[in-house]
Amino acid sequence: MHLSDILDFNLFTENAMKTVIAETYRPFEQFIKSIPSLFRRDEGKVIYDKRNQIRRFEHKGLVFVAKRYKRVNFIQQIVYTFFRKTKGERAFRFPELYRQRGVSTPREVAFIECYELGLFTVCYFVSEEVTRREVFQELVDVKDFDHELARAVVRQIVYMHSKGILHGDLNLSNFLYEKSPDGKYHFTLIDINRSHFTDGWPSDEDCMKDLVRLVHRRDLYTFLISHYAELRGWPVETTVSAALKRLDKFEHRIFK
């Protein structure tokens, strides 16, 4: 990948910004660098606004999706300034690894990091827009979920694991899909900045950890884990029982 790293700042000025742009989008440098100010001016269409905020922007016939990650605390400022890549940078670097392993994810455009007095504070990730349907709405927000779609999701997960991809935030809201005329499902994974990569299959334990965030709806979760176990050749009843216990512990930790 050819990149344009725009490091036109002194890190130790009062306010500084680092912008890294994929070469294809270098002609849009001025617009991309304006994205933090567009957020501050409340421009663009808000499409998600919880812990992080996502906005949609149209510029010269193109559609960009920009994610602003939550401002970090002081300890995180130290960590991300000196020891660890930011979420924005990981979100930007990982799509190429996904594509190399045969998994679709939105095309990366840029990441932006903002600094105050030499310390990282907030970052942005910019990508192309993908207009596929959301699996969460199709499986979770319905009374009777689509078993065919659910099985297709599990096949996608098994494929990802077989290629050494652990998503790290593998919940159904991060699966987008379309169904082609021949009946095949095609998935795009989003929010991949927590991913980890291995050579070949990850350990069984790591695969099960990756599955714990899938969904909190018990009937659907049981169906998904059962089919995953079948495809992996694992004992279904034992695998489901262990997965439900893991889910209970996970929910107790995050909801207590």
Side-chain angles (χ1 to χ4, degrees):
M1 181 189 299
H2 298 289
L3 304 175
S4 296
D5 287 27
I6 305 164
L7 307 178
D8 54 347
F9 69 95
N10 181 338
L11 186 63
F12 296 100
T13 57
E14 182 176 356
N15 293 295
M17 189 173 77
K18 170 185 173 181
T19 306
V20 178
I21 303 175
E23 185 64 29
T24 302
Y25 300 96
R26 189 67 168 81
F28 307 103
E29 174 185 331
Q30 184 175 357
F31 169 76
I32 291 168
K33 293 178 71 174
S34 74
I35 284 176
S37 63
L38 295 178
F39 269 80
R40 290 192 295 270
R41 296 199 301 267
D42 199 27
E43 296 187 26
K45 179 181 179 182
V46 177
I47 56 179
Y48 182 86
D49 190 12
K50 290 186 179 179
R51 178 182 177 84
N52 307 307
Q53 187 179 90
I54 302 175
R55 290 178 180 257
R56 180 182 185 272
F57 298 98
E58 296 185 25
H59 179 72
K60 293 186 177 180
L62 297 178
V63 177
F64 298 101
V65 175
K67 181 174 185 176
R68 182 181 64 192
Y69 293 91
K70 181 182 178 181
R71 185 184 177 94
V72 299
N73 61 38
F74 179 71
I75 298 300
Q76 292 169 326
Q77 286 182 311
I78 301 297
V79 171
Y80 285 123
T81 299
F82 300 107
F83 303 108
R84 190 179 183 190
K85 289 183 173 61
T86 65
K87 292 180 179 180
E89 179 170 359
R90 295 199 305 272
F92 180 82
R93 306 290 183 186
F94 288 171
E96 179 66 18
L97 296 176
Y98 267 65
R99 289 192 294 271
Q100 289 174 357
R101 300 175 189 224
V103 180
S104 172
T105 191
R107 179 70 60 173
E108 67 280 10
V109 173
F111 75 91
I112 302 167
E113 296 173 352
C114 300
Y115 294 79
E116 295 177 8
L117 299 177
L119 292 179
F120 168 79
T121 56
V122 67
C123 63
Y124 300 78
F125 169 61
V126 187
S127 69
E128 291 183 350
E129 182 182 46
V130 174
T131 56
R132 290 185 167 183
R133 297 161 70 179
E134 298 180 5
V135 165
F136 188 93
Q137 294 179 352
E138 303 282 341
L139 291 184
V140 183
D141 290 344
V142 293
K143 181 179 180 180
D144 299 314
F145 64 85
D146 184 335
H147 287 56
E148 181 186 12
L149 175 58
R151 282 190 288 268
V153 168
V154 175
R155 291 195 297 271
Q156 175 68 27
I157 295 171
V158 171
Y159 177 80
M160 291 169 59
H161 286 173
S162 76
K163 296 299 181 179
I165 297 175
L166 293 164
H167 184 279
D169 190 11
L170 197 66
N171 67 75
L172 294 181
S173 63
N174 288 330
F175 287 79
L176 307 179
Y177 84 98
E178 65 181 11
K179 189 176 182 181
S180 58
D182 61 3
K184 293 182 179 179
Y185 290 90
H186 304 276
F187 294 95
T188 294
L189 275 293
I190 61 174
D191 203 10
I192 66 172
N193 66 279
R194 297 182 183 179
S195 297
H196 296 277
F197 304 91
T198 63
D199 295 326
W201 287 94
S203 69
D204 293 353
E205 174 69 11
D206 284 341
C207 289
M208 291 306 296
K209 286 181 180 178
D210 203 35
L211 295 170
V212 75
R213 297 172 181 267
L214 269 175
V215 68
H216 298 288
R217 178 175 165 175
R218 288 305 193 274
D219 62 332
L220 177 56
Y221 187 70
T222 298
F223 182 89
L224 295 169
I225 297 299
S226 296
H227 192 48
Y228 183 90
E230 291 172 356
L231 294 180
R232 294 293 306 271
W234 295 352
V236 173
E237 185 175 343
T238 302
T239 302
V240 170
S241 177
L244 288 172
K245 290 179 181 178
R246 188 186 296 273
L247 179 60
D248 288 339
K249 291 181 180 179
F250 174 69
E251 291 179 339
H252 177 72
R253 187 174 75 248
I254 63 174
F255 294 139
K256 68 178 180 180

